Amino acid sequence: MANELTGAPDYFNIDDLLTEEHLLIRQTMRDFVKREISPYIEQWAQDAHFPSEIVKKFGDVGAFGPTIPTEYGGGGLDYISYGIIMQEIERGDSGMRSTASVQGSLVMYPIYKYGSEEQRKKYLPKLASGEWLGCFGLTEPDFGSNPGGMVTNIKDQGDHYLLNGSKLWISNSPECQVAVVWAKNEEGRIQGVIVERGMEGFSTPEIHNKWSLRASCTGELVFDNVKIPKENILPNVSGLRGPLGCLDSARYGISWGAIGAAIDCYESARKYSLERIQFDKPIGAFQLTQKKLAEMLTEITKAQLLTWRLGTLMNEGKATTQQISMAKRNNVDMALHIAREARQIHGGMGITGEYPIMRHMMNLESVITYEGTHDIHLLITGADITGISAFK
Ligand code: TGC
Ligand code: FAD
């Protein structure tokens, strides 16, 4: 039932669907997370500390831009490999996975997909190696679920642009060297802009007092007449499809990542249920505990099958935005539900940092909101079913 090497459930022999390379990547990431994240994560989260040294380590292990071609420093891997990497990192912590998925899917991906050859060569190798950390600025104080309403703007000044506005809730922003920012031009069309730390008028204030993703740094991006060289505009995209295309890739990674958090909660609950004695029996002997564990394993298995199939569609270039949206919504909701049930099984101990449960649960409250809220994803599926958009 459990994979002997990774200790993760494999109830439907899904490992048989993976290649030797996939299994090797998973083992490498599992070892990395056990060595570099798991021993320290509770303290980082309790202290609201972002371990900036992890950025270089992620670069070294190949966690940044796994699907980007090797000539730009990426891993040149397929989408199942990418999913496996996100799963194993999020088994450690969703905030750590955020750091990696923003870098890969939301910073490297748009530069690779929409950037010029010069931009690819300038930024991608440094981002892949972890020399630079990047962030992605789409959300604004007044435009979250509705990014098309954004007011951040660029104005053509002849030999450069002037960037004004602000972005809110931006993962990695306080530590970033480079930001991919979405702004409207004078015709109201959305364009991608590469902003570098040190540009005059650009600042990245940190958001404090989060109860969620405490080991990930989150902040604002503030642009006060920032002079943007013309070569920093992403030339090959305009319109909302630019940022939304990046979200497809990131939401796909989250659909795998959430399974990692769910596995960690399930495994902790399973072990605890066999060790904890009440009424002279392990609590795992009680039917209601078994029901919880049985439902957890069933939901994890369904999510594993969903993401594996989605990964094959991604590899074939056939996955739709709506399919990715469904997987993100289902798997994050599944993981949050499992975290809550696992917390019950741990009783009072479940609220302490002795176990990973409460941290995963609090993290997942962000994951179910970012990259499109649960309800926005329900509406994406609703629009696909009926042909009627219920957003506006
Ligand atoms: P709508 O009219 O549907 O579409 C506007 C234009 O975009 C095109 N399009 C896409 N293109 C490529 N890929 C996709 N996935 C696309 N989806 C839509 C569409 O064809 C259209 O193109 P054009 O050329 O005709 O203009 O847009 P809408 O304004 O009705 O909004 C749709 C909606 C609500 C689904 C969308 O805006 C949405 O997804 N909202 C949620 C916002 C969101 O997810 N924000 C995420 C911010 S980043 C983040 O959270 C990072 S956290 C990372 C971490 O820490 O891990
Ligand atoms: P709102 O859009 O104000 O939504 C509030 C509520 O209203 C939600 O329940 C929503 O579902 C509901 N709602 C809104 N519109 C509708 C509708 N049409 N129909 C029904 N219900 C609706 N953004 C970035 O750009 N880059 C990042 O790196 C990034 N990182 C983040 C990190 C964290 C920790 C968090 C919490 C957020 C991050 N975000 C980032 C922002 C995130 O994408 C937004 O929070 C999210 O898209 C929701 O926007 P909002 O918070 O403004 O909520």
Side-chain angles (χ1 to χ4, degrees), residues 177-223:
Q177 279 76 37
V178 52
V180 170
V181 175
W182 300 92
K184 280 185 178 161
N185 65 19
E186 283 144 304
E187 288 81 51
R189 196 86 184 138
I190 292 170
Q191 292 204 265
V193 184
I194 304 175
V195 184
E196 291 183 30
R197 186 169 294 284
M199 287 180 169
E200 211 180 321
F202 172 44
S203 58
T204 60
E206 184 161 3
I207 295 173
H208 295 287
N209 296 329
K210 289 179 300 172
W211 283 118
S212 177
L213 295 184
R214 287 172 62 79
S216 154
C217 56
T218 316
E220 300 171 50
L221 299 173
V222 180
F223 315 107

Short mmCIF file of all heavy atoms in Angstrom, two decimals, residues 177-223:
data_model
loop_
_atom_site.label_atom_id
_atom_site.label_comp_id
_atom_site.label_asym_id
_atom_site.label_seq_id
_atom_site.Cartn_x
_atom_site.Cartn_y
_atom_site.Cartn_z
N GLN A 177 15.23 39.76 -6.86
CA GLN A 177 16.12 40.59 -7.68
C GLN A 177 15.40 41.07 -8.92
O GLN A 177 15.78 42.07 -9.52
CB GLN A 177 17.39 39.82 -8.11
CG GLN A 177 18.47 39.74 -7.06
CD GLN A 177 18.15 38.74 -5.97
OE1 GLN A 177 17.58 37.69 -6.26
NE2 GLN A 177 18.49 39.06 -4.74
N VAL A 178 14.39 40.29 -9.33
CA VAL A 178 13.70 40.61 -10.57
C VAL A 178 12.20 40.31 -10.42
O VAL A 178 11.83 39.36 -9.72
CB VAL A 178 14.36 39.84 -11.76
CG1 VAL A 178 14.49 38.37 -11.47
CG2 VAL A 178 13.62 40.03 -13.05
N ALA A 179 11.38 41.16 -11.03
CA ALA A 179 9.92 40.97 -10.94
C ALA A 179 9.33 41.00 -12.34
O ALA A 179 9.63 41.91 -13.12
CB ALA A 179 9.30 42.08 -10.08
N VAL A 180 8.48 40.00 -12.64
CA VAL A 180 7.70 40.06 -13.88
C VAL A 180 6.36 40.70 -13.49
O VAL A 180 5.61 40.15 -12.69
CB VAL A 180 7.50 38.66 -14.49
CG1 VAL A 180 6.47 38.70 -15.62
CG2 VAL A 180 8.82 38.09 -14.99
N VAL A 181 6.11 41.88 -14.05
CA VAL A 181 4.97 42.70 -13.63
C VAL A 181 4.03 42.91 -14.82
O VAL A 181 4.50 43.12 -15.94
CB VAL A 181 5.49 44.07 -13.13
CG1 VAL A 181 4.33 45.00 -12.80
CG2 VAL A 181 6.38 43.88 -11.90
N TRP A 182 2.73 42.86 -14.53
CA TRP A 182 1.73 43.06 -15.59
C TRP A 182 1.11 44.44 -15.43
O TRP A 182 0.64 44.80 -14.34
CB TRP A 182 0.71 41.92 -15.55
CG TRP A 182 1.42 40.61 -15.75
CD1 TRP A 182 1.91 39.79 -14.76
CD2 TRP A 182 1.83 40.03 -16.99
NE1 TRP A 182 2.58 38.72 -15.33
CE2 TRP A 182 2.54 38.84 -16.69
CE3 TRP A 182 1.66 40.38 -18.34
CZ2 TRP A 182 3.09 38.01 -17.68
CZ3 TRP A 182 2.20 39.55 -19.32
CH2 TRP A 182 2.90 38.38 -18.98
N ALA A 183 1.14 45.21 -16.51
CA ALA A 183 0.69 46.61 -16.45
C ALA A 183 -0.02 46.97 -17.75
O ALA A 183 0.24 46.35 -18.80
CB ALA A 183 1.90 47.52 -16.24
N LYS A 184 -0.90 47.99 -17.68
CA LYS A 184 -1.63 48.40 -18.89
C LYS A 184 -0.85 49.49 -19.63
O LYS A 184 -0.33 50.42 -18.99
CB LYS A 184 -3.01 48.93 -18.52
CG LYS A 184 -3.99 47.81 -18.26
CD LYS A 184 -5.39 48.33 -18.00
CE LYS A 184 -6.35 47.16 -17.79
NZ LYS A 184 -7.58 47.57 -17.11
N ASN A 185 -0.82 49.37 -20.95
CA ASN A 185 -0.20 50.45 -21.74
C ASN A 185 -1.26 51.53 -22.02
O ASN A 185 -2.40 51.44 -21.54
CB ASN A 185 0.44 49.89 -23.02
CG ASN A 185 -0.58 49.31 -23.98
OD1 ASN A 185 -1.78 49.61 -23.90
ND2 ASN A 185 -0.11 48.46 -24.89
N GLU A 186 -0.88 52.54 -22.78
CA GLU A 186 -1.80 53.68 -22.97
C GLU A 186 -3.07 53.30 -23.73
O GLU A 186 -4.08 53.99 -23.64
CB GLU A 186 -1.07 54.83 -23.67
CG GLU A 186 -0.18 55.57 -22.68
CD GLU A 186 1.13 56.06 -23.28
OE1 GLU A 186 1.89 55.21 -23.83
OE2 GLU A 186 1.39 57.27 -23.22
N GLU A 187 -3.03 52.17 -24.45
CA GLU A 187 -4.25 51.69 -25.14
C GLU A 187 -5.08 50.80 -24.22
O GLU A 187 -6.11 50.25 -24.64
CB GLU A 187 -3.89 50.88 -26.39
CG GLU A 187 -3.36 51.70 -27.56
CD GLU A 187 -1.89 52.04 -27.40
OE1 GLU A 187 -1.09 51.11 -27.14
OE2 GLU A 187 -1.53 53.23 -27.50
N GLY A 188 -4.62 50.60 -22.98
CA GLY A 188 -5.37 49.75 -22.03
C GLY A 188 -5.08 48.27 -22.21
O GLY A 188 -5.77 47.42 -21.65
N ARG A 189 -4.06 47.94 -23.00
CA ARG A 189 -3.71 46.53 -23.26
C ARG A 189 -2.66 46.10 -22.23
O ARG A 189 -1.70 46.84 -21.94
CB ARG A 189 -3.13 46.47 -24.68
CG ARG A 189 -3.06 45.10 -25.28
CD ARG A 189 -4.34 44.66 -25.96
NE ARG A 189 -4.18 43.28 -26.42
CZ ARG A 189 -5.09 42.34 -26.32
NH1 ARG A 189 -6.25 42.60 -25.78
NH2 ARG A 189 -4.86 41.13 -26.77
N ILE A 190 -2.83 44.90 -21.66
CA ILE A 190 -1.90 44.43 -20.62
C ILE A 190 -0.60 43.94 -21.25
O ILE A 190 -0.61 43.20 -22.24
CB ILE A 190 -2.56 43.29 -19.80
CG1 ILE A 190 -3.72 43.87 -18.98
CG2 ILE A 190 -1.54 42.60 -18.88
CD1 ILE A 190 -4.60 42.84 -18.32
N GLN A 191 0.53 44.40 -20.67
CA GLN A 191 1.85 43.96 -21.15
C GLN A 191 2.70 43.48 -19.98
O GLN A 191 2.51 43.90 -18.84
CB GLN A 191 2.55 45.12 -21.85
CG GLN A 191 1.85 45.51 -23.15
CD GLN A 191 2.80 46.18 -24.10
OE1 GLN A 191 2.86 47.40 -24.14
NE2 GLN A 191 3.53 45.39 -24.87
N GLY A 192 3.66 42.62 -20.28
CA GLY A 192 4.59 42.13 -19.26
C GLY A 192 5.84 42.99 -19.23
O GLY A 192 6.40 43.33 -20.28
N VAL A 193 6.27 43.34 -18.01
CA VAL A 193 7.43 44.23 -17.83
C VAL A 193 8.41 43.55 -16.88
O VAL A 193 7.98 43.04 -15.83
CB VAL A 193 6.98 45.57 -17.18
CG1 VAL A 193 8.14 46.53 -17.07
CG2 VAL A 193 5.82 46.19 -17.94
N ILE A 194 9.69 43.53 -17.23
CA ILE A 194 10.69 42.97 -16.30
C ILE A 194 11.29 44.13 -15.51
O ILE A 194 11.92 45.03 -16.08
CB ILE A 194 11.79 42.21 -17.06
CG1 ILE A 194 11.18 41.11 -17.94
CG2 ILE A 194 12.79 41.61 -16.07
CD1 ILE A 194 12.19 40.38 -18.82
N VAL A 195 11.07 44.09 -14.19
CA VAL A 195 11.57 45.15 -13.32
C VAL A 195 12.71 44.57 -12.48
O VAL A 195 12.60 43.45 -11.98
CB VAL A 195 10.44 45.67 -12.39
CG1 VAL A 195 10.93 46.84 -11.56
CG2 VAL A 195 9.22 46.07 -13.21
N GLU A 196 13.79 45.33 -12.34
CA GLU A 196 14.94 44.82 -11.58
C GLU A 196 15.11 45.62 -10.30
O GLU A 196 14.88 46.83 -10.27
CB GLU A 196 16.22 44.93 -12.42
CG GLU A 196 16.22 43.97 -13.59
CD GLU A 196 17.52 44.02 -14.38
OE1 GLU A 196 18.59 44.32 -13.79
OE2 GLU A 196 17.45 43.79 -15.60
N ARG A 197 15.51 44.90 -9.23
CA ARG A 197 15.81 45.60 -7.98
C ARG A 197 16.90 46.64 -8.24
O ARG A 197 17.84 46.38 -8.99
CB ARG A 197 16.27 44.62 -6.90
CG ARG A 197 16.45 45.30 -5.55
CD ARG A 197 16.63 44.33 -4.41
NE ARG A 197 15.45 43.51 -4.14
CZ ARG A 197 14.35 43.93 -3.50
NH1 ARG A 197 14.26 45.19 -3.08
NH2 ARG A 197 13.34 43.10 -3.29
N GLY A 198 16.75 47.80 -7.64
CA GLY A 198 17.74 48.86 -7.84
C GLY A 198 17.23 49.93 -8.76
O GLY A 198 17.76 51.04 -8.78
N MET A 199 16.19 49.62 -9.55
CA MET A 199 15.62 50.66 -10.41
C MET A 199 14.99 51.73 -9.51
O MET A 199 14.26 51.40 -8.56
CB MET A 199 14.56 50.08 -11.35
CG MET A 199 15.14 49.24 -12.47
SD MET A 199 13.81 48.59 -13.52
CE MET A 199 14.76 47.94 -14.90
N GLU A 200 15.26 52.98 -9.81
CA GLU A 200 14.79 54.06 -8.95
C GLU A 200 13.26 54.11 -8.92
O GLU A 200 12.61 53.99 -9.98
CB GLU A 200 15.34 55.40 -9.47
CG GLU A 200 15.57 56.38 -8.36
CD GLU A 200 16.12 57.70 -8.88
OE1 GLU A 200 16.96 57.67 -9.80
OE2 GLU A 200 15.69 58.74 -8.38
N GLY A 201 12.69 54.24 -7.72
CA GLY A 201 11.24 54.33 -7.58
C GLY A 201 10.57 52.98 -7.38
O GLY A 201 9.34 52.91 -7.25
N PHE A 202 11.37 51.89 -7.33
CA PHE A 202 10.82 50.53 -7.15
C PHE A 202 11.12 50.05 -5.74
O PHE A 202 12.28 50.03 -5.32
CB PHE A 202 11.46 49.58 -8.18
CG PHE A 202 11.12 48.12 -7.99
CD1 PHE A 202 9.83 47.72 -7.72
CD2 PHE A 202 12.11 47.15 -8.11
CE1 PHE A 202 9.51 46.37 -7.54
CE2 PHE A 202 11.81 45.80 -7.95
CZ PHE A 202 10.51 45.41 -7.67
N SER A 203 10.07 49.70 -4.98
CA SER A 203 10.28 49.16 -3.63
C SER A 203 9.38 47.96 -3.39
O SER A 203 8.37 47.77 -4.09
CB SER A 203 10.04 50.25 -2.57
OG SER A 203 8.73 50.74 -2.70
N THR A 204 9.75 47.15 -2.37
CA THR A 204 9.08 45.86 -2.13
C THR A 204 8.76 45.65 -0.64
O THR A 204 9.31 44.75 -0.01
CB THR A 204 9.97 44.70 -2.63
OG1 THR A 204 11.22 44.75 -1.90
CG2 THR A 204 10.25 44.78 -4.10
N PRO A 205 7.88 46.49 -0.05
CA PRO A 205 7.60 46.33 1.38
C PRO A 205 7.04 44.95 1.71
O PRO A 205 6.24 44.40 0.94
CB PRO A 205 6.53 47.40 1.64
CG PRO A 205 6.47 48.26 0.44
CD PRO A 205 7.09 47.53 -0.70
N GLU A 206 7.47 44.42 2.86
CA GLU A 206 7.04 43.07 3.26
C GLU A 206 5.70 43.13 3.98
O GLU A 206 5.39 44.10 4.69
CB GLU A 206 8.10 42.45 4.18
CG GLU A 206 7.76 41.02 4.56
CD GLU A 206 8.96 40.24 5.08
OE1 GLU A 206 10.06 40.82 5.20
OE2 GLU A 206 8.79 39.04 5.37
N ILE A 207 4.87 42.07 3.80
CA ILE A 207 3.62 41.94 4.56
C ILE A 207 3.93 41.08 5.79
O ILE A 207 4.44 39.96 5.65
CB ILE A 207 2.52 41.27 3.70
CG1 ILE A 207 2.16 42.16 2.51
CG2 ILE A 207 1.29 40.95 4.54
CD1 ILE A 207 1.22 41.53 1.50
N HIS A 208 3.62 41.61 6.98
CA HIS A 208 3.91 40.89 8.22
C HIS A 208 2.62 40.31 8.81
O HIS A 208 1.53 40.57 8.33
CB HIS A 208 4.58 41.83 9.23
CG HIS A 208 5.93 42.31 8.77
ND1 HIS A 208 7.05 41.50 8.76
CD2 HIS A 208 6.34 43.51 8.29
CE1 HIS A 208 8.08 42.19 8.30
NE2 HIS A 208 7.68 43.41 7.99
N ASN A 209 2.81 39.51 9.87
CA ASN A 209 1.68 38.98 10.66
C ASN A 209 0.78 38.02 9.89
O ASN A 209 -0.42 37.96 10.16
CB ASN A 209 0.83 40.13 11.24
CG ASN A 209 1.63 40.96 12.21
OD1 ASN A 209 2.53 40.43 12.88
ND2 ASN A 209 1.35 42.25 12.29
N LYS A 210 1.34 37.27 8.94
CA LYS A 210 0.54 36.24 8.27
C LYS A 210 0.42 35.04 9.23
O LYS A 210 1.38 34.68 9.89
CB LYS A 210 1.25 35.75 7.00
CG LYS A 210 1.29 36.72 5.86
CD LYS A 210 2.05 36.08 4.68
CE LYS A 210 3.46 35.71 5.04
NZ LYS A 210 4.19 34.94 4.05
N TRP A 211 -0.73 34.37 9.22
CA TRP A 211 -0.89 33.11 9.94
C TRP A 211 -0.66 31.93 9.00
O TRP A 211 -0.89 30.78 9.37
CB TRP A 211 -2.29 33.00 10.55
CG TRP A 211 -2.48 33.81 11.78
CD1 TRP A 211 -3.36 34.83 11.95
CD2 TRP A 211 -1.80 33.67 13.04
NE1 TRP A 211 -3.26 35.34 13.22
CE2 TRP A 211 -2.31 34.64 13.91
CE3 TRP A 211 -0.78 32.82 13.51
CZ2 TRP A 211 -1.87 34.80 15.22
CZ3 TRP A 211 -0.34 32.97 14.81
CH2 TRP A 211 -0.88 33.95 15.65
N SER A 212 -0.30 32.20 7.77
CA SER A 212 -0.25 31.17 6.73
C SER A 212 1.02 31.39 5.90
O SER A 212 1.49 32.53 5.79
CB SER A 212 -1.50 31.35 5.85
OG SER A 212 -1.53 30.47 4.78
N LEU A 213 1.58 30.33 5.36
CA LEU A 213 2.81 30.44 4.55
C LEU A 213 3.85 31.31 5.27
O LEU A 213 4.43 32.22 4.68
CB LEU A 213 2.52 31.03 3.17
CG LEU A 213 1.64 30.22 2.23
CD1 LEU A 213 1.55 30.90 0.87
CD2 LEU A 213 2.14 28.80 2.04
N ARG A 214 4.06 30.98 6.54
CA ARG A 214 4.93 31.84 7.35
C ARG A 214 6.40 31.73 6.97
O ARG A 214 7.18 32.63 7.25
CB ARG A 214 4.72 31.52 8.83
CG ARG A 214 3.38 32.04 9.34
CD ARG A 214 3.09 31.58 10.76
NE ARG A 214 4.04 32.04 11.75
CZ ARG A 214 4.05 33.24 12.29
NH1 ARG A 214 3.15 34.14 11.92
NH2 ARG A 214 4.95 33.56 13.20
N ALA A 215 6.80 30.62 6.32
CA ALA A 215 8.20 30.49 5.90
C ALA A 215 8.42 31.00 4.49
O ALA A 215 9.52 30.88 3.94
CB ALA A 215 8.64 29.04 6.02
N SER A 216 7.37 31.55 3.89
CA SER A 216 7.51 32.15 2.55
C SER A 216 7.39 33.66 2.73
O SER A 216 6.61 34.12 3.57
CB SER A 216 6.37 31.64 1.66
OG SER A 216 6.07 32.53 0.62
N CYS A 217 8.18 34.43 1.99
CA CYS A 217 8.06 35.88 2.17
C CYS A 217 7.06 36.44 1.14
O CYS A 217 7.05 36.04 -0.02
CB CYS A 217 9.41 36.58 2.09
SG CYS A 217 10.34 36.30 0.61
N THR A 218 6.22 37.33 1.62
CA THR A 218 5.15 37.91 0.80
C THR A 218 5.21 39.42 0.97
O THR A 218 5.49 39.91 2.06
CB THR A 218 3.77 37.42 1.31
OG1 THR A 218 3.82 36.03 1.59
CG2 THR A 218 2.68 37.70 0.29
N GLY A 219 4.94 40.15 -0.09
CA GLY A 219 5.01 41.60 0.04
C GLY A 219 4.25 42.33 -1.03
O GLY A 219 3.39 41.77 -1.72
N GLU A 220 4.58 43.61 -1.13
CA GLU A 220 3.99 44.47 -2.16
C GLU A 220 5.06 44.75 -3.22
O GLU A 220 6.25 44.53 -2.99
CB GLU A 220 3.57 45.81 -1.56
CG GLU A 220 2.54 45.72 -0.47
CD GLU A 220 2.35 47.08 0.20
OE1 GLU A 220 2.15 48.09 -0.51
OE2 GLU A 220 2.42 47.13 1.43
N LEU A 221 4.61 45.30 -4.33
CA LEU A 221 5.53 45.89 -5.31
C LEU A 221 5.01 47.30 -5.53
O LEU A 221 3.83 47.48 -5.87
CB LEU A 221 5.50 45.12 -6.64
CG LEU A 221 5.89 43.64 -6.62
CD1 LEU A 221 5.63 43.02 -7.99
CD2 LEU A 221 7.36 43.47 -6.25
N VAL A 222 5.86 48.28 -5.32
CA VAL A 222 5.41 49.68 -5.47
C VAL A 222 6.25 50.34 -6.56
O VAL A 222 7.49 50.25 -6.54
CB VAL A 222 5.55 50.44 -4.12
CG1 VAL A 222 5.08 51.89 -4.28
CG2 VAL A 222 4.76 49.74 -3.02
N PHE A 223 5.57 50.97 -7.51
CA PHE A 223 6.26 51.60 -8.64
C PHE A 223 5.92 53.09 -8.66
O PHE A 223 4.76 53.47 -8.87
CB PHE A 223 5.81 50.97 -9.96
CG PHE A 223 5.77 49.46 -9.92
CD1 PHE A 223 4.55 48.79 -9.88
CD2 PHE A 223 6.94 48.72 -9.88
CE1 PHE A 223 4.50 47.42 -9.82
CE2 PHE A 223 6.89 47.34 -9.82
CZ PHE A 223 5.66 46.68 -9.78
#
